[in-house]
Amino acid sequence: MWLNYLKIAFRRLANNRIVSVLNSLALAVGLTVALLIGIFITHELQYDRWVPDHEQVFRVYRVWNQTSNVVWTPSPLAEKLRSDYPEVISASGLSPSGEKLVELADKQIFVEHTAAVDSTFFQVVSLPFAAGDPETALSDPKGMIISTKLAEIIFGEEDPLGQTIRLDGTDDYFITGIISLEGRNSHLAFDLYRRFEWYSPYWSGNNRATYVKVNQNSSVEGLEGKVTTDVNKLVQQELAGMNLNVNAEDQAEWRLQPFAKIHLHSSEYSWIQSKKGNIEHLYIFGLIAVLVLLVAIFNYVNLATAQATQRGREIGVRKVTGAMRSQLVSQFLTESILIALVAGVIAIVLTVLLLPVFNEVVDRTLTLQEYGLLGVIGMVLLTIITGLLAGTYPALVISGYRPVEVMQKKFFHAGDKGLFRKVLVTSQFAITITLLLFMAFIYKQIHFMNSQDLGFDPEQIITVPLNFSTTNYSIQNRKNDLLAIPGVEAASVSSRLPGKLIPDWTIRIMGREEGYNPYVIFTDPDFAEVMDLNVKEGRYLDEEIAADSVNNFVVNETLVREFQLDDPIGAEIKFTSDTVWGRIVGVVEDFNFHSLTRPIRPLVMGGGERKWFASVRLNTAELDQVLASIQTLWQEIEPTHPMRFEFLDEEFAALYEEQSRFGNTVLYSGLLTLLIALLGLFGLTMFSVQRRVKEIGIRKILGASVSSIVKLISLEFILLIIVAFLIAVPVSFYIVRKWLENFAYQTDVSWWLFPVIGLVIIIIAMITASVQSLRAANLRPATTLRTE
Amino acid sequence: MIALKNIEKYYTNGFQKTWVLRDITTNIAQGEFVTIMGPSGAGKSTLLNIIGMLDSGDKGEYHFLDEPVMKLREKRRHELHKSYMGFVFQAYHLIDELTVYENIETPLLYRKVKRSERQSMVAEMLDRFGIVAKKDLFPHQLSGGQQQLVGVARAIVARPKLLLADEPTGNLHSAQGEIIMDLFKELHDEGMTILQVTHSEKNASYGTRILEIEDGFIREDYPVRQGGLIGH
C-alpha cells in the first residue's frame, strides 16, 4: 500500500513540476530558516550546561532598586561565603583583566580575553583541565592557566606545562594548567587565567565577580536572604565609619544566578563578556523561525487545496474502487511528507551554504558537526512534522469529496469558495509585511543612533589603550612631540573613554548625609579639547592649577540637576574613601558617554592618576602618514608593546553591533518569508488561470483587453495583500514601540515608512501575479475554448 | 439481491422540490443483466449511483442482500460496496499517474489482498483481456477502447457480485463498444449480476431485462426476448 502511495506521489511530483518546485522550494526555505535558527538556539542553550556540577554553581549579583543588576562584588565576599555558611562548599572571585601582551622568546601575542581569579576558582567551577591540577594550579602566585587554543598558538607541538612566559613585558609566569573546552561553549571563555594581584578589604567597594558552589539541595533563597542581611550590615557599618548613612532602601539585594543561566540572562548586567547571549533575542528568533515555517506550510496548504480541484476524478475513482477515507488521508500525507523530505534535503544543502553568512550575522562559529546524530534525528523529525502539518488540512478536505460530485467535472469549486485559502494568503503577507516593517524600524533606529549628536565629537579621534600605569607620565613627557606631528590637533589621557565600560563611585556632597553614585572618568586637562566638550559654567581642569590634578572636579549637567546642586561651582564633594574634600570647578554640557540605549547619567571628571587610554584628535587628509608618525613616537612611549589603536566613532558605532546583527536577522528572515509568500502567490495565480481559462477565452472573444484580464486575475490577490497590510500596520506598530523601549533615545515611528514598505510589497506581488495572468491573457481564445 | 421500495430522491431549492427519482420500486435478482434506459436527465445515473451506494435516496427502502442499506452505518455500507460491487464509467476514469497494471491492482490494495495473490489476480485479468503487453503503459498511451478494457478489468478484478456500468460504451467507436459488450455478456454468462445505463438499444439487447425511466418514474419494466430482439 505504502509503495503504491509513494509511487503515485513520485509520479505526481514529476508530472506537476512547477507545483512541485514551488512547494518544495518554499518548504526548503522555511526549513532552512528554522534549521539555522534551531541550530543557533540549541547552541545558545548548551552554554555551560555541560560543566560538571553546574547546578550547584552560582554567580553572585546585586539588584539595585529592583531594576539594575550588577555583577561586581566586594573582594572579601568569597572568603565570607566560604567560612560563614555551611551550605557553601567553596567560593571564589573572578575579574576580567582585559587584553594582555604575552611574550615567549621572540613571539609577541596580544591575548584579548584574560582573567584574574582567586587560587580556588577551579574548585568552584569545574572547567576541564587537559593538563595540570585544578586544585593546585594557582597555588603559586606566579602560576598561570591557559586555554588549549592559546597553548597551540604559543607553543605549537611543545608541552606548555612548566614553561615560562612574560606578561606585559614585565612579569614572568609559568604555565601550571591547560583548560580544554573541547569545542563546547562556556561564558568563561578566557584564554588566560592568573591570580589576583590585589585585594581590597572594603565591603563598600565592588571589584570582582564571586562564584559560589553550594551543597546539593541547599536552599538558594535562604542563602540569598542570609547574605543580603549580613553583607548589607557590613556595608552599613563600614560607611558609618566614614560618617555616611545609608538608607535601607538604597541597599542592594544579594542574589545568586545559576551558572548555566549566565550566558543568556546577563544582557542587562554591567559585565564584560565576549559573545554575550540574549534570551529575548532567542525568543524572538524562535518566533521568527516558527512564523517563517508557518508561511511555508501555508503555501503548501494553499497549493495543495488549489491543486485538489484537478484531482476530483482520482479521488472519486479511488473511493469507488473501495478506498476508505483514512486510506486517502494516508495517501495525501505520504505526498506531503515526501515533498517535505525533498525540501529537507534542499534545506540541508542551503544550510551548509548559508552557515558562514549566518555565523557572521549572529557572531558565532556554529557548525553542523556539533550536533551529530541528534541533529540528524531532529532534522528528520522537523521535516516529517512539517510534512504532516502541511498535509493534514488538504488531506482532510480532499478525502472528503463525494465521488458522484467530483467525477464528472474537470475542475470544481471547493465548498468554502476558497475562504480558508484567502485567510492563509492574507496571514502569509501579514507576517511578511510585519517582519519587514519591524526590520525597517530597527535600521532606522540604528541610523538614528549613529547620526545623533552625542554632545562630543567622536570623529577623527584615535584611541590607544595603555598597558602600564606609568605610561601616563611618558605621554605627558612626550606630549609636545606628539602635538608637533602635523595633523595632530590635541592629545589626552584618561581613565576611561566614552562608549567603554565606565565605573561608578560613591561620592559625598558637603552638608549632606547620604552618598551618591555618579559615573567617574579621570582625565588630564586636554580631554575637553580632544573630545570637543562644551563647558557651560566655570572651566575645565587646568594644568596650571595644582588642585585640578588632585581633587578639583568637573561634572555634567545631569549631575547638577539630579543631585540638586543649586550652585554647583564651588560646591564641595569627595569620594567616600578620600580624606580631603574637593571642589567643583566646572560644568560641561551633557554628552553621551554610554551608548544611546541608555540615558545620560550623572558624571564626575577628576584629575586622578589612573589613566588607561590615550586619545588623539587628528585633522588630516593623510591619515596613514600621521598614523605612521604617531606609531614611531609610540615606540618610545611604550617600547614593550606595539601600538594598538581604534577610531572612537567606529568604536561607538560598534556599540550597536548587537542591534545591527539583530536587524540583519530580521531583514533576512523577512526577505525569505517574502520569497516564500511570492512563490505561493505565483502558484495560486497559476491555478486561478487554469481554472478560469475558459472564462478568459470568452471574455476575450467579447472584447476584453489584456490589461483587464490581468486585473481580473490579479485583483483578487492584491486585495488580500492590502488586507494583510492593514493587519500588519497595527501589529508592527505595537512591536516597534515595544522594541524601542529598550532605548533611552528613540527614533520617531514615522508614519510614511508604513505605506512605503506596503507599496513596495504590493508592487512586487502585483508583478508576481501578473506573470501568469499575462500568459493567460495572451492565449488565443480558439485554443482555450476548443478543449472544453 | 436488490430490493428497492418507494425510493425518492429530490433537491430542495428554496421552497421548491425538484424530483430526480420518485416512487422507485423494483427487485433485481442475482444473475440478472438489467439495462436502465431513458432520456437524458431521467434519473438513470442517479438510480445507478444509489444502488451502487455512491449516493443515497431521500426516502424509501433499499435492501441489498437483505441488508437495509439506508439504515446502515457508513462503515458497513462502505464494506458492502467494497465487497460486492464493481464500477465501469463512460469516461473510463483511470488514474493518470498509475500504469495499467497498477490501475487494475488498486481495488485489491484497498481490500488488503496479499501481494502474491494480487499478482496472480491482476495477471489473470491482463491475460483475459489480452492487454498483457500494455501492462506498463499509462492511460494516456492507450486508445479509448483499451482504456475501457482496463476500466472493466479494474471493476471485476476483486470478483464483485454486482457490476454497475454507466454508459460504458458512450465514448467508444462501435467496434470497440462491441468488444466491451461481448465481455459483459461473457461475464453475465459466468453468473455476474450486471446493471448498466445506456442510450443504445443495441447494448440493451445484450441484457435480460430493461427498466425504462422517465421523469424519475419507472415507466416500463420488461424482459429482453431470447434471440436478441427487443419487444413488448
Side-chain angles (χ1 to χ4, degrees), chain A residues 1 3-5 7-8 11-12 15-16 313-314 316-325 327-328 331 402-404 407-408, chain B residues 49 54-56 75 78 81-82 85 87 89 91 93-99 102 105-107 109-112 115 138 154:
Chain A
M1 197 79 243
L3 212 66
N4 186 268
Y5 292 162
K7 223 170 355 195
I8 200 160
R11 289 186 194 148
R12 283 200 66 82
N15 286 345
N16 299 282
R313 200 180 63 183
E314 181 196 338
V317 171
R318 285 188 180 274
K319 285 203 161 177
V320 169
T321 53
M324 281 192 300
R325 188 165 181 188
Q327 288 168 317
L328 288 175
Q331 184 194 336
R402 287 161 54 91
V404 199
M407 282 171 75
Q408 275 91 15
Chain B
N49 287 337
L54 299 181
D55 205 344
S56 60
K75 199 170 173 200
H78 182 258
H81 167 90
K82 194 158 87 172
M85 295 179 184
F87 263 87
F89 304 95
H93 286 335
L94 302 181
I95 298 177
D96 295 333
E97 283 83 8
L98 297 181
T99 62
E102 290 158 356
E105 188 189 27
T106 309
L109 290 171
Y110 289 128
R111 284 162 182 77
K112 304 212 161 70
R115 191 182 153 81
F138 287 93
R154 185 181 61 187

Side-chain angles (χ1 to χ4, degrees), chain B residues 13-72:
Chain B
N13 197 355
F15 294 105
Q16 215 176 354
K17 268 184 189 174
T18 314
W19 300 89
V20 185
L21 292 176
R22 302 190 77 160
D23 201 24
I24 301 283
T25 304
T26 188
N27 290 319
I28 295 170
Q30 194 142 0
E32 279 196 274
F33 184 168
V34 180
T35 306
I36 304 172
M37 296 189 79
S40 292
K44 305 185 296 286
S45 295
T46 308
L47 181 58
L48 192 78
N49 287 337
I50 288 175
I51 294 171
M53 297 175 198
L54 299 181
D55 205 344
S56 60
D58 296 306
K59 264 187 188 165
E61 284 174 36
Y62 168 22
H63 284 84
F64 182 80
L65 294 175
D66 297 328
E67 295 213 42
V69 174
M70 290 166 77
K71 290 179 189 132
L72 291 178

